[in-house]
Amino acid sequence: MYTLWKQWSDHTFEATLDFWKRSLALGQLKQDDPPDVAQTPADVIYTENKLRLLRYRPTIERRHPIPLLLVPSIINRYYILDLKPGRSLVEYLRERGFDVWMIDWGTPGPEDRFVTFDYHIDGYLLNCVRAVLDATGQKKLSLLGYCIGGVFTTSFAALHGEKYVQNLMALASPLNFHDEGLLSRWARKENFPVDALIDTYGNMPHWLLQTSFKWLRPTTDLRNQWALWERLDHPERLDDFRALNHWATDNVAVPGETYRKFVKDCYQDNLLIQNKMQVGGRAVNLKDICCPFLNITAKYDHICPPQSASVLNELVASQDATLLTLPGGHVGAIVGREATEGLWPQLAEWLAERSDRD
Amino acid sequence: MADLPFNPWKDYFDIWEKHTARYWDDVLRSPLFLEAIGRNLEMSLAWQRAALNGVEAVQKAWGLPTRSEQEFAQHQLNQLATRMQQLARRMEKLELAEE
Protein backbone atom coordinates (compact mmCIF):
# COMPACT_ATOMS: atom_id res chain seq x y z
CA MET A 1 0.00 0.00 0.00
CA TYR A 2 2.79 2.34 1.03
CA THR A 3 4.70 1.54 -2.16
CA LEU A 4 1.65 2.36 -4.28
CA TRP A 5 1.09 5.62 -2.41
CA LYS A 6 4.79 6.48 -2.73
CA GLN A 7 4.70 5.78 -6.46
CA TRP A 8 1.58 7.93 -6.90
CA SER A 9 2.95 10.83 -4.84
CA ASP A 10 6.31 10.75 -6.64
CA HIS A 11 4.52 10.71 -9.95
CA THR A 12 2.26 13.61 -9.01
CA PHE A 13 5.19 15.60 -7.66
CA GLU A 14 7.16 14.97 -10.84
CA ALA A 15 4.17 15.98 -13.00
CA THR A 16 3.52 19.14 -11.00
CA LEU A 17 7.18 20.12 -11.13
CA ASP A 18 7.25 19.48 -14.87
CA PHE A 19 4.08 21.55 -15.35
CA TRP A 20 5.53 24.56 -13.50
CA LYS A 21 8.87 24.26 -15.27
CA ARG A 22 7.12 24.34 -18.63
CA SER A 23 4.82 27.19 -17.56
CA LEU A 24 7.84 29.24 -16.49
CA ALA A 25 9.63 28.44 -19.74
CA LEU A 26 6.52 29.46 -21.69
CA GLY A 27 6.31 32.77 -19.81
CA GLN A 28 9.96 33.45 -20.51
CA LEU A 29 9.57 32.49 -24.17
CA LYS A 30 7.01 35.18 -24.91
CA GLN A 31 9.46 37.88 -23.84
CA ASP A 32 12.17 36.48 -26.09
CA ASP A 33 13.16 37.95 -29.42
CA PRO A 34 12.21 36.18 -32.67
CA PRO A 35 14.46 33.19 -33.38
CA ASP A 36 17.67 33.68 -35.34
CA VAL A 37 17.16 32.39 -38.87
CA ALA A 38 19.21 32.49 -42.10
CA GLN A 39 22.54 32.41 -40.26
CA THR A 40 24.84 30.98 -42.94
CA PRO A 41 27.23 33.78 -43.98
CA ALA A 42 26.64 35.00 -47.53
CA ASP A 43 27.55 37.86 -49.84
CA VAL A 44 25.06 39.73 -51.98
CA ILE A 45 26.36 39.43 -55.53
CA TYR A 46 23.49 40.86 -57.53
CA THR A 47 20.39 42.90 -56.76
CA GLU A 48 17.41 43.82 -58.88
CA ASN A 49 14.35 45.63 -57.56
CA LYS A 50 13.68 43.80 -54.23
CA LEU A 51 15.58 40.66 -55.26
CA ARG A 52 18.98 39.72 -53.82
CA LEU A 53 21.25 37.01 -55.16
CA LEU A 54 23.25 35.45 -52.33
CA ARG A 55 26.48 33.49 -52.58
CA TYR A 56 27.33 31.48 -49.48
CA ARG A 57 30.87 31.73 -48.18
CA PRO A 58 32.76 28.44 -48.27
CA THR A 59 33.99 26.72 -45.12
CA ILE A 60 36.11 24.25 -47.07
CA GLU A 61 37.59 24.37 -50.55
CA ARG A 62 34.87 24.27 -53.21
CA ARG A 63 35.20 20.75 -54.59
CA HIS A 64 32.50 20.87 -57.24
CA PRO A 65 33.03 23.46 -59.97
CA ILE A 66 29.41 23.60 -61.18
CA PRO A 67 27.61 26.20 -59.04
CA LEU A 68 24.25 25.40 -57.50
CA LEU A 69 21.48 28.02 -57.55
CA LEU A 70 18.60 27.50 -55.12
CA VAL A 71 15.30 29.07 -56.16
CA PRO A 72 12.78 29.20 -53.30
CA SER A 73 9.07 29.87 -53.45
CA ILE A 74 7.74 33.41 -53.83
CA ILE A 75 4.97 33.06 -51.25
CA ASN A 76 7.31 32.46 -48.29
CA ARG A 77 10.73 33.71 -47.33
CA TYR A 78 13.81 32.15 -48.87
CA TYR A 79 15.33 31.11 -45.55
CA ILE A 80 13.40 27.84 -45.34
CA LEU A 81 16.44 26.40 -47.15
CA ASP A 82 18.73 28.02 -44.57
CA LEU A 83 16.55 27.87 -41.49
CA LYS A 84 19.13 27.78 -38.68
CA PRO A 85 22.50 26.17 -37.97
CA GLY A 86 22.05 22.40 -38.08
CA ARG A 87 18.72 22.76 -39.88
CA SER A 88 20.01 24.25 -43.09
CA LEU A 89 20.22 22.59 -46.49
CA VAL A 90 22.51 25.44 -47.58
CA GLU A 91 24.91 24.79 -44.71
CA TYR A 92 24.91 21.04 -45.42
CA LEU A 93 25.72 21.48 -49.10
CA ARG A 94 28.31 24.16 -48.43
CA GLU A 95 30.12 21.87 -46.01
CA ARG A 96 30.30 19.26 -48.75
CA GLY A 97 32.14 21.54 -51.12
CA PHE A 98 29.31 22.89 -53.26
CA ASP A 99 29.30 26.48 -54.46
CA VAL A 100 25.83 27.42 -53.15
CA TRP A 101 23.83 30.42 -54.35
CA MET A 102 20.28 31.43 -53.47
CA ILE A 103 17.68 33.91 -54.65
CA ASP A 104 15.96 35.99 -51.98
CA TRP A 105 12.90 37.38 -53.79
CA GLY A 106 12.44 40.09 -51.17
CA THR A 107 9.15 41.69 -50.19
CA PRO A 108 7.13 43.07 -53.12
CA GLY A 109 5.77 46.57 -52.74
CA PRO A 110 2.42 47.76 -54.14
CA GLU A 111 4.19 48.87 -57.34
CA ASP A 112 5.34 45.29 -57.99
CA ARG A 113 1.80 44.25 -58.86
CA PHE A 114 2.86 44.77 -62.48
CA VAL A 115 5.78 42.33 -62.32
CA THR A 116 4.71 39.37 -64.42
CA PHE A 117 5.13 35.63 -64.09
CA ASP A 118 7.13 35.70 -67.32
CA TYR A 119 9.53 38.28 -65.89
CA HIS A 120 10.27 35.99 -62.95
CA ILE A 121 11.64 33.47 -65.49
CA ASP A 122 12.94 35.51 -68.43
CA GLY A 123 14.00 38.45 -66.26
CA TYR A 124 14.87 37.80 -62.61
CA LEU A 125 15.90 34.16 -62.97
CA LEU A 126 17.76 34.62 -66.24
CA ASN A 127 19.63 37.64 -64.84
CA CYS A 128 20.56 35.71 -61.70
CA VAL A 129 21.77 32.72 -63.75
CA ARG A 130 23.95 35.05 -65.83
CA ALA A 131 25.30 36.71 -62.68
CA VAL A 132 26.22 33.30 -61.21
CA LEU A 133 27.97 32.20 -64.41
CA ASP A 134 29.78 35.54 -64.74
CA ALA A 135 31.08 35.33 -61.18
CA THR A 136 32.15 31.69 -61.35
CA GLY A 137 33.40 31.57 -64.93
CA GLN A 138 31.39 28.41 -65.53
CA LYS A 139 29.27 27.78 -68.63
CA LYS A 140 26.39 26.04 -66.88
CA LEU A 141 24.92 25.63 -63.40
CA SER A 142 22.71 23.34 -61.38
CA LEU A 143 19.24 24.62 -60.56
CA LEU A 144 17.15 23.56 -57.58
CA GLY A 145 13.61 24.92 -57.29
CA TYR A 146 11.46 24.56 -54.20
CA CYS A 147 7.64 24.69 -54.45
CA ILE A 148 6.67 27.50 -56.85
CA GLY A 149 10.40 28.10 -57.32
CA GLY A 150 10.37 24.66 -58.95
CA VAL A 151 7.73 25.80 -61.41
CA PHE A 152 10.05 28.68 -62.36
CA THR A 153 13.17 26.51 -62.66
CA THR A 154 11.35 23.83 -64.65
CA SER A 155 9.99 26.46 -67.07
CA PHE A 156 13.43 28.05 -67.23
CA ALA A 157 15.09 24.72 -67.99
CA ALA A 158 12.56 24.09 -70.77
CA LEU A 159 13.20 27.52 -72.31
CA HIS A 160 16.91 28.10 -71.65
CA GLY A 161 18.15 24.76 -70.35
CA GLU A 162 20.32 23.84 -73.28
CA LYS A 163 22.38 26.99 -72.85
CA TYR A 164 22.56 27.34 -69.07
CA VAL A 165 21.40 24.29 -67.09
CA GLN A 166 23.70 21.38 -66.23
CA ASN A 167 21.40 19.68 -63.68
CA LEU A 168 17.81 20.32 -62.66
CA MET A 169 16.25 19.47 -59.30
CA ALA A 170 12.62 20.01 -58.37
CA LEU A 171 11.81 19.93 -54.68
CA ALA A 172 8.11 19.52 -53.82
CA SER A 173 7.20 21.40 -56.97
CA PRO A 174 3.66 21.02 -58.28
CA LEU A 175 3.33 20.46 -62.03
CA ASN A 176 -0.03 18.78 -62.45
CA PHE A 177 -2.40 21.20 -60.75
CA HIS A 178 -5.58 19.19 -61.24
CA ASP A 179 -5.09 16.88 -58.30
CA GLU A 180 -7.17 15.91 -55.28
CA GLY A 181 -5.54 18.48 -52.98
CA LEU A 182 -7.56 21.25 -51.32
CA LEU A 183 -5.63 24.03 -53.05
CA SER A 184 -6.56 22.57 -56.41
CA ARG A 185 -10.25 22.52 -55.42
CA TRP A 186 -10.23 26.04 -54.02
CA ALA A 187 -8.51 27.55 -57.05
CA ARG A 188 -11.05 26.32 -59.61
CA LYS A 189 -12.66 28.93 -61.83
CA GLU A 190 -16.11 28.56 -60.34
CA ASN A 191 -14.82 29.02 -56.78
CA PHE A 192 -12.02 31.53 -56.98
CA PRO A 193 -12.46 34.99 -58.56
CA VAL A 194 -8.75 35.64 -59.10
CA ASP A 195 -9.31 38.57 -61.49
CA ALA A 196 -11.55 40.39 -59.01
CA LEU A 197 -9.05 39.72 -56.23
CA ILE A 198 -6.03 41.10 -58.08
CA ASP A 199 -7.96 44.02 -59.57
CA THR A 200 -8.98 44.98 -56.03
CA TYR A 201 -5.83 44.37 -54.00
CA GLY A 202 -3.11 44.76 -56.62
CA ASN A 203 -0.87 42.10 -55.09
CA MET A 204 -2.11 38.87 -53.57
CA PRO A 205 -2.06 39.95 -49.90
CA HIS A 206 0.16 37.96 -47.53
CA TRP A 207 -2.57 37.75 -44.91
CA LEU A 208 -4.92 36.08 -47.37
CA LEU A 209 -2.26 33.55 -48.31
CA GLN A 210 -1.59 32.95 -44.62
CA THR A 211 -5.29 32.44 -43.92
CA SER A 212 -5.75 30.03 -46.80
CA PHE A 213 -2.76 27.95 -45.70
CA LYS A 214 -4.15 27.83 -42.18
CA TRP A 215 -7.47 26.60 -43.56
CA LEU A 216 -5.77 23.68 -45.26
CA ARG A 217 -5.89 22.17 -41.76
CA PRO A 218 -7.83 24.44 -39.41
CA THR A 219 -6.62 22.61 -36.30
CA THR A 220 -2.97 23.38 -37.01
CA ASP A 221 -2.72 26.27 -34.54
CA LEU A 222 -4.01 24.13 -31.69
CA ARG A 223 -1.68 21.33 -32.70
CA ASN A 224 1.21 23.76 -32.74
CA GLN A 225 0.38 24.97 -29.22
CA TRP A 226 0.54 21.40 -27.99
CA ALA A 227 3.76 20.78 -29.90
CA LEU A 228 5.25 23.89 -28.28
CA TRP A 229 4.26 22.68 -24.80
CA GLU A 230 5.90 19.30 -25.46
CA ARG A 231 9.15 20.92 -26.54
CA LEU A 232 9.47 23.40 -23.68
CA ASP A 233 11.90 21.19 -21.75
CA HIS A 234 14.13 20.57 -24.75
CA PRO A 235 15.94 23.76 -25.81
CA GLU A 236 17.21 22.49 -29.15
CA ARG A 237 13.88 21.06 -30.30
CA LEU A 238 12.14 24.18 -29.01
CA ASP A 239 14.47 26.36 -31.02
CA ASP A 240 13.83 24.28 -34.17
CA PHE A 241 10.11 24.54 -33.60
CA ARG A 242 10.18 28.30 -33.08
CA ALA A 243 12.32 28.88 -36.16
CA LEU A 244 10.03 26.78 -38.32
CA ASN A 245 6.91 28.39 -36.89
CA HIS A 246 8.41 31.82 -37.49
CA TRP A 247 9.00 30.94 -41.15
CA ALA A 248 5.53 29.41 -41.55
CA THR A 249 3.88 32.66 -40.45
CA ASP A 250 6.27 34.89 -42.38
CA ASN A 251 4.38 34.96 -45.69
CA VAL A 252 4.94 37.67 -48.26
CA ALA A 253 2.56 39.18 -50.80
CA VAL A 254 2.80 37.83 -54.34
CA PRO A 255 3.02 40.29 -57.24
CA GLY A 256 -0.52 40.56 -58.63
CA GLU A 257 0.12 39.80 -62.30
CA THR A 258 2.38 36.89 -61.40
CA TYR A 259 -0.28 35.43 -59.14
CA ARG A 260 -3.03 35.96 -61.73
CA LYS A 261 -1.14 34.03 -64.40
CA PHE A 262 0.00 31.33 -61.99
CA VAL A 263 -3.57 30.63 -60.82
CA LYS A 264 -5.14 30.85 -64.28
CA ASP A 265 -2.55 28.97 -66.34
CA CYS A 266 -1.50 26.46 -63.73
CA TYR A 267 -4.29 25.84 -61.21
CA GLN A 268 -7.26 26.57 -63.46
CA ASP A 269 -6.19 25.53 -66.97
CA ASN A 270 -3.30 23.21 -66.05
CA LEU A 271 -1.37 24.36 -69.12
CA LEU A 272 2.13 23.52 -67.92
CA ILE A 273 1.88 19.74 -68.18
CA GLN A 274 0.14 20.08 -71.55
CA ASN A 275 3.14 22.05 -72.90
CA LYS A 276 0.76 24.93 -73.66
CA MET A 277 1.91 27.51 -71.15
CA GLN A 278 3.37 30.63 -72.74
CA VAL A 279 6.31 32.46 -71.20
CA GLY A 280 7.67 35.49 -73.01
CA GLY A 281 5.69 34.51 -76.12
CA ARG A 282 7.15 30.99 -76.23
CA ALA A 283 5.48 27.74 -75.26
CA VAL A 284 7.11 25.94 -72.34
CA ASN A 285 7.74 22.47 -73.75
CA LEU A 286 8.79 20.09 -71.01
CA LYS A 287 10.20 17.75 -73.64
CA ASP A 288 12.96 20.33 -74.11
CA ILE A 289 14.37 19.42 -70.70
CA CYS A 290 17.23 17.05 -71.51
CA CYS A 291 19.64 17.59 -68.62
CA PRO A 292 19.97 15.21 -65.63
CA PHE A 293 16.83 15.64 -63.55
CA LEU A 294 16.04 14.84 -59.92
CA ASN A 295 12.44 15.12 -58.81
CA ILE A 296 11.86 15.05 -55.05
CA THR A 297 8.39 14.63 -53.60
CA ALA A 298 7.17 14.23 -50.03
CA LYS A 299 4.73 11.44 -49.22
CA TYR A 300 2.46 13.50 -46.94
CA ASP A 301 2.70 16.81 -48.76
CA HIS A 302 -0.77 18.44 -48.76
CA ILE A 303 0.43 21.56 -50.61
CA CYS A 304 2.10 19.70 -53.45
CA PRO A 305 0.67 16.15 -53.41
CA PRO A 306 3.32 13.65 -54.64
CA GLN A 307 1.34 12.69 -57.75
CA SER A 308 1.18 16.36 -58.72
CA ALA A 309 4.99 16.51 -58.88
CA SER A 310 6.01 12.99 -59.90
CA VAL A 311 4.28 13.30 -63.28
CA LEU A 312 7.17 15.46 -64.48
CA ASN A 313 9.48 12.45 -64.76
CA GLU A 314 7.28 11.12 -67.57
CA LEU A 315 7.18 14.46 -69.37
CA VAL A 316 10.84 15.45 -69.61
CA ALA A 317 13.20 14.08 -72.25
CA SER A 318 16.09 13.55 -69.81
CA GLN A 319 17.74 10.15 -70.08
CA ASP A 320 18.94 10.60 -66.53
CA ALA A 321 15.71 11.27 -64.59
CA THR A 322 15.31 10.17 -60.97
CA LEU A 323 12.23 10.28 -58.77
CA LEU A 324 12.78 10.38 -55.02
CA THR A 325 9.78 10.10 -52.70
CA LEU A 326 10.53 10.86 -49.07
CA PRO A 327 8.51 10.53 -45.89
CA GLY A 328 7.29 13.80 -44.39
CA GLY A 329 5.35 16.83 -45.52
CA HIS A 330 5.97 19.91 -47.65
CA VAL A 331 8.29 21.45 -45.06
CA GLY A 332 9.26 18.54 -42.78
CA ALA A 333 10.89 16.64 -45.63
CA ILE A 334 13.12 19.64 -46.36
CA VAL A 335 14.19 20.84 -42.90
CA GLY A 336 12.78 18.31 -40.43
CA ARG A 337 14.98 16.01 -38.39
CA GLU A 338 14.43 13.27 -40.97
CA ALA A 339 15.91 15.49 -43.71
CA THR A 340 19.43 15.23 -42.25
CA GLU A 341 19.42 11.50 -42.91
CA GLY A 342 17.00 11.44 -45.83
CA LEU A 343 16.86 14.26 -48.29
CA TRP A 344 20.16 16.05 -47.71
CA PRO A 345 22.63 13.15 -48.17
CA GLN A 346 20.69 11.73 -51.12
CA LEU A 347 20.51 15.12 -52.80
CA ALA A 348 24.20 15.83 -52.16
CA GLU A 349 25.22 12.43 -53.50
CA TRP A 350 23.13 12.79 -56.67
CA LEU A 351 24.45 16.28 -57.27
CA ALA A 352 28.11 15.47 -56.50
CA GLU A 353 28.12 12.80 -59.21
CA ARG A 354 26.94 15.40 -61.72
CA SER A 355 28.72 18.57 -60.63
CA ASP A 356 32.27 17.93 -61.67
CA ARG A 357 32.01 18.06 -65.43
CA ASP A 358 31.26 21.14 -67.50
CA MET B 1 7.10 13.47 -20.75
CA ALA B 2 6.48 9.80 -21.53
CA ASP B 3 4.75 8.73 -18.28
CA LEU B 4 3.25 11.97 -16.99
CA PRO B 5 -0.41 12.07 -15.98
CA PHE B 6 -1.51 14.55 -18.61
CA ASN B 7 -0.26 12.33 -21.39
CA PRO B 8 -3.63 10.60 -21.89
CA TRP B 9 -5.00 14.08 -22.71
CA LYS B 10 -2.54 14.20 -25.55
CA ASP B 11 -3.96 10.95 -26.92
CA TYR B 12 -7.52 12.31 -26.63
CA PHE B 13 -6.41 15.53 -28.27
CA ASP B 14 -4.78 13.63 -31.15
CA ILE B 15 -7.97 11.63 -31.76
CA TRP B 16 -10.13 14.77 -31.59
CA GLU B 17 -7.76 16.71 -33.86
CA LYS B 18 -7.69 13.94 -36.47
CA HIS B 19 -11.49 13.69 -36.57
CA THR B 20 -11.98 17.45 -36.59
CA ALA B 21 -9.42 17.92 -39.35
CA ARG B 22 -11.11 15.21 -41.43
CA TYR B 23 -14.52 16.83 -40.88
CA TRP B 24 -13.21 20.24 -41.98
CA ASP B 25 -11.47 18.70 -44.95
CA ASP B 26 -14.81 17.28 -46.14
CA VAL B 27 -16.54 20.63 -45.57
CA LEU B 28 -13.78 22.65 -47.22
CA ARG B 29 -13.85 20.60 -50.41
CA SER B 30 -17.63 20.35 -50.75
CA PRO B 31 -18.91 22.21 -53.84
CA LEU B 32 -21.77 23.76 -51.89
CA PHE B 33 -19.44 25.39 -49.38
CA LEU B 34 -16.91 26.47 -52.01
CA GLU B 35 -19.55 28.05 -54.24
CA ALA B 36 -20.96 29.99 -51.28
CA ILE B 37 -17.50 31.19 -50.22
CA GLY B 38 -16.66 32.11 -53.84
CA ARG B 39 -19.88 34.13 -54.19
CA ASN B 40 -19.28 35.94 -50.89
CA LEU B 41 -15.71 36.74 -51.81
CA GLU B 42 -16.75 38.05 -55.20
CA MET B 43 -19.45 40.25 -53.65
CA SER B 44 -17.13 41.64 -51.01
CA LEU B 45 -14.47 42.37 -53.65
CA ALA B 46 -17.05 44.10 -55.85
CA TRP B 47 -17.93 46.43 -52.95
CA GLN B 48 -14.29 47.18 -52.26
CA ARG B 49 -13.63 47.84 -55.95
CA ALA B 50 -16.62 50.14 -56.17
CA ALA B 51 -15.26 52.12 -53.21
CA LEU B 52 -11.78 52.28 -54.79
CA ASN B 53 -13.22 53.37 -58.12
CA GLY B 54 -15.14 56.12 -56.33
CA VAL B 55 -11.98 57.41 -54.66
CA GLU B 56 -10.08 57.27 -57.97
CA ALA B 57 -12.86 59.17 -59.75
CA VAL B 58 -12.61 61.95 -57.16
CA GLN B 59 -8.81 62.03 -57.45
CA LYS B 60 -9.06 62.24 -61.23
CA ALA B 61 -11.64 65.02 -61.01
CA TRP B 62 -9.19 67.02 -58.89
CA GLY B 63 -6.36 66.28 -61.31
CA LEU B 64 -4.50 64.12 -58.80
CA PRO B 65 -2.73 60.87 -59.71
CA THR B 66 -4.63 57.76 -58.65
CA ARG B 67 -3.15 54.94 -56.59
CA SER B 68 -2.72 52.66 -59.60
CA GLU B 69 -1.13 55.47 -61.65
CA GLN B 70 1.38 56.12 -58.88
CA GLU B 71 2.13 52.40 -58.59
CA PHE B 72 2.63 52.10 -62.33
CA ALA B 73 4.98 55.08 -62.38
CA GLN B 74 6.98 53.54 -59.52
CA HIS B 75 7.09 50.23 -61.41
CA GLN B 76 8.42 51.97 -64.51
CA LEU B 77 11.07 53.71 -62.41
CA ASN B 78 12.13 50.33 -61.02
CA GLN B 79 12.39 48.95 -64.55
CA LEU B 80 14.49 51.92 -65.59
CA ALA B 81 16.79 51.46 -62.59
CA THR B 82 17.25 47.78 -63.50
CA ARG B 83 18.00 48.63 -67.12
CA MET B 84 20.58 51.24 -66.10
CA GLN B 85 22.18 48.80 -63.67
CA GLN B 86 22.46 46.21 -66.44
CA LEU B 87 23.97 48.72 -68.84
CA ALA B 88 26.50 49.77 -66.20
CA ARG B 89 27.48 46.11 -65.73
CA ARG B 90 27.90 45.64 -69.48
CA MET B 91 30.08 48.73 -69.70
CA GLU B 92 32.18 47.48 -66.81
CA LYS B 93 32.63 44.14 -68.59
CA LEU B 94 33.57 45.84 -71.87
CA GLU B 95 36.08 48.04 -70.08
CA LEU B 96 37.64 45.00 -68.42
CA ALA B 97 37.78 43.19 -71.76
CA GLU B 98 39.53 46.17 -73.37
CA GLU B 99 42.16 46.25 -70.63
Side-chain angles (χ1 to χ4, degrees):
Chain A
M1 189 67 188
Y2 172 76
T3 320
L4 270 178
W5 181 83
K6 177 92 173 74
Q7 267 179 1
W8 178 84
S9 67
D10 284 355
H11 197 72
T12 311
F13 177 71
E14 197 186 324
T16 314
L17 198 66
D18 184 82
F19 176 82
W20 285 113
K21 262 163 58 182
R22 281 169 203 270
S23 302
L24 276 173
L26 191 66
Q28 211 170 16
L29 192 69
K30 288 193 171 159
Q31 293 157 15
D32 280 349
D33 292 330
D36 292 329
V37 289
Q39 295 291 292
T40 311
D43 299 304
V44 178
I45 303 296
Y46 174 76
T47 57
E48 182 179 341
N49 195 3
K50 319 292 187 300
L51 174 148
R52 296 185 310 152
L53 174 65
L54 307 173
R55 185 184 200 180
Y56 291 91
R57 290 180 201 149
T59 42
I60 59 164
E61 192 193 341
R62 286 178 177 135
R63 284 201 295 261
H64 307 289
I66 306 288
L68 166 65
L69 176 60
L70 307 178
V71 183
S73 174
I74 50 170
I75 59 169
N76 291 100
R77 304 278 178 190
Y78 73 101
Y79 60 79
I80 185 60
L81 301 174
D82 180 28
L83 192 62
K84 61 183 276 279
R87 285 279 163 274
S88 163
L89 175 62
V90 165
E91 183 190 58
Y92 184 90
L93 293 170
R94 186 184 69 140
E95 283 167 4
R96 272 142 196 88
F98 290 98
D99 184 5
V100 187
W101 296 67
M102 177 134 67
I103 293 179
D104 167 13
W105 298 107
T107 308
E111 72 281 8
D112 294 316
R113 62 188 289 189
F114 302 103
V115 178
T116 60
F117 184 94
D118 297 12
Y119 193 75
H120 276 82
I121 296 161
D122 278 347
Y124 288 144
L125 189 49
L126 182 60
N127 293 338
C128 286
V129 166
R130 284 180 178 151
V132 172
L133 298 178
D134 277 353
T136 55
Q138 294 293 320
K139 287 181 186 143
K140 287 187 173 185
L141 49 56
S142 298
L143 269 181
L144 184 150
Y146 175 52
C147 191
I148 301 173
V151 177
F152 291 153
T153 51
T154 304
S155 306
F156 182 86
L159 294 168
H160 308 282
E162 210 179 326
K163 193 170 178 192
Y164 295 112
V165 184
Q166 174 85 15
N167 303 299
L168 177 67
M169 288 148 283
L171 191 51
S173 303
L175 260 299
N176 176 13
F177 292 85
H178 286 181
D179 55 44
E180 282 310 300
L182 268 179
L183 286 178
S184 172
R185 292 278 176 123
W186 292 352
R188 287 181 187 172
K189 280 177 191 165
E190 61 272 24
N191 303 327
F192 188 47
V194 64
D195 282 325
L197 189 74
I198 298 306
D199 292 343
T200 308
Y201 287 117
N203 288 330
M204 174 61 175
H206 68 93
W207 56 265
L208 197 52
L209 281 168
Q210 181 70 35
T211 309
S212 50
F213 281 112
K214 282 199 176 188
W215 275 93
L216 283 174
R217 198 177 174 100
T219 49
T220 301
D221 275 351
L222 275 174
R223 202 177 181 78
N224 281 347
Q225 290 307 312
W226 198 291
L228 174 69
W229 179 259
E230 280 184 324
R231 285 160 178 77
L232 282 170
D233 65 339
H234 198 302
E236 200 190 328
R237 287 182 65 201
L238 178 65
D239 207 36
D240 288 357
F241 176 82
R242 290 185 64 224
L244 198 55
N245 211 33
H246 180 78
W247 172 83
T249 52
D250 194 12
N251 285 93
V252 281
V254 177
E257 291 310 318
T258 303
Y259 189 76
R260 194 196 304 263
K261 176 160 176 157
F262 179 62
V263 169
K264 282 184 159 185
D265 285 9
C266 295
Y267 272 102
Q268 293 182 343
D269 295 330
N270 208 17
L271 296 181
L272 194 53
I273 61 160
Q274 301 173 56
N275 295 329
K276 287 181 182 168
M277 191 159 166
Q278 297 277 322
V279 170
R282 294 164 64 196
V284 178
N285 187 353
L286 299 172
K287 280 271 175 255
D288 290 339
I289 299 177
C290 304
C291 60
F293 173 57
L294 175 65
N295 193 0
I296 302 156
T297 66
K299 207 171 168 186
Y300 305 110
D301 192 338
H302 58 291
I303 292 170
C304 167
Q307 63 274 22
S308 166
S310 58
V311 67
L312 187 55
N313 282 59
E314 296 153 26
L315 299 172
V316 297
S318 312
Q319 296 295 309
D320 177 7
T322 311
L323 175 65
L324 189 62
T325 303
L326 299 162
H330 193 68
V331 179
I334 317 303
V335 286
R337 293 192 163 260
E338 63 268 34
T340 47
E341 285 162 13
L343 170 67
W344 299 355
Q346 293 186 68
L347 175 66
E349 192 186 337
W350 185 91
L351 192 58
E353 287 167 8
R354 294 159 180 83
S355 290
D356 296 332
R357 55 179 191 265
D358 195 358
Chain B
M1 184 77 185
D3 59 344
L4 295 176
F6 51 78
N7 265 10
W9 289 103
K10 173 73 168 68
D11 298 334
Y12 298 141
F13 172 79
D14 282 343
I15 294 166
W16 171 84
E17 194 271 340
K18 214 170 158 184
H19 282 279
T20 312
R22 200 176 300 153
Y23 166 78
W24 275 109
D25 192 81
D26 288 342
V27 171
L28 291 170
R29 66 174 66 237
S30 74
L32 210 67
F33 177 83
L34 291 177
E35 276 168 31
I37 288 285
R39 261 200 315 274
N40 277 332
L41 182 63
E42 203 156 4
M43 249 165 58
S44 135
L45 291 170
W47 278 106
Q48 288 183 55
R49 256 197 335 279
L52 283 174
N53 290 343
V55 173
E56 290 204 345
V58 173
Q59 285 173 322
K60 271 186 181 164
W62 287 351
L64 295 169
T66 63
R67 189 188 78 168
S68 50
E69 283 167 352
Q70 289 177 53
E71 286 168 356
F72 190 64
Q74 178 70 52
H75 169 67
Q76 285 182 314
L77 279 174
N78 286 346
Q79 282 183 314
L80 264 177
T82 301
R83 188 82 192 110
M84 285 178 69
Q85 200 185 341
Q86 280 167 347
L87 284 173
R89 274 170 188 265
R90 267 181 69 184
M91 296 230 336
E92 228 172 82
K93 262 191 192 174
L94 286 171
E95 276 169 12
L96 278 174
E98 269 178 21
E99 280 169 21

